[in-house]
Amino acid sequence: MTPDESPRAAPARRPRLLALALLLLSLAVPALLAGGTGAASAAAAPASPQASAAAAPRFGPAVVAELNRIRARSGLPAVRHDQRMSRTASAHSRHMLRTGALVHGSWTGRVARAAGSAAAVGEVLGWLRRTSPSREARAVVRGWLNSAPHRHVLLDARFRRVGIGRAAGRFDGAKAAVYTVDWATAR
């Protein structure tokens, strides 16, 4: 969402369509990545909590690299990782995993506080069945690019900083990772 969009003003149908699109993405992308069925991707998921925890630090740089690759192709400036924003994004990802709901909540205030002084903020959310951090990064960014509201945020030239959150566990009955990427203008 962008700062101009009010979550309350969105038509009731829009959140259901977005949830359906994210669900379809979560089902289709792992099969494509594994070159087979969803069951093949579930087998490729990390077997232990330690493997999953180790993936989180590698996921952030992989997302920044993927975002900057996409933005460079569009002639946009690169974004840089913001640690303070990432702590807030990670807390939000953990909250969504814990509650089992992919929701923005009162994101504008949360992101604005984490970003400090920012003229504009944005946020994108997603979830996928777990794979490797670089595959997850490519898959989730590709999914956001295929969604008009998310694409708008990813390709907004005003944004120069990102906070990246990832939480792994069970989501919607699957071993999954839940993502939050918060966006802000430069300081």
Side-chain angles (χ1 to χ4, degrees):
M1 298 188 108
T2 63
D4 303 329
E5 296 178 42
S6 166
R8 298 185 208 314
R13 187 177 80 204
R14 188 172 183 195
R16 287 186 298 226
L17 290 175
L18 179 57
L20 177 61
L22 289 171
L23 176 61
L24 291 174
L25 173 67
S26 71
L27 297 174
V29 170
L32 293 172
L33 291 174
T37 65
S41 68
S48 69
Q50 293 81 12
S52 178
R58 294 189 316 266
F59 178 74
V63 169
V64 171
E66 188 66 15
L67 290 171
N68 284 333
R69 186 181 69 76
I70 298 297
R71 288 171 66 91
R73 275 194 342 216
S74 299
L76 297 171
V79 293
R80 66 176 173 79
H81 180 255
D82 184 294
Q83 190 60 42
R84 182 175 173 192
M85 290 174 59
S86 288
R87 283 192 296 274
T88 301
S90 293
H92 187 64
S93 290
R94 287 190 305 272
H95 172 76
M96 290 188 298
L97 187 66
R98 193 172 46 255
T99 61
L102 193 68
V103 296
H104 288 279
S106 58
W107 68 276
T108 53
R110 177 176 45 80
V111 177
R113 281 188 302 278
S117 59
V121 297
E123 179 172 77
V124 293
L125 308 175
W127 76 276
L128 293 172
R129 294 176 195 267
R130 289 185 304 211
T131 62
S132 71
S134 61
R135 284 186 173 188
E136 283 181 27
R138 283 190 304 270
V140 77
V141 170
R142 191 175 305 124
W144 287 325
L145 284 172
N146 290 329
S147 163
H150 293 97
R151 181 181 185 85
H152 175 74
V153 174
L154 270 63
L155 300 179
D156 188 326
R158 297 175 299 169
F159 294 138
R160 300 295 177 91
R161 297 180 289 147
V162 292
I164 299 167
R166 177 188 184 274
R170 304 236 12 122
F171 190 79
D172 199 32
K175 287 182 181 178
V178 177
Y179 316 102
T180 303
V181 178
D182 292 335
W183 299 76
T185 54
R187 274 192 236 201

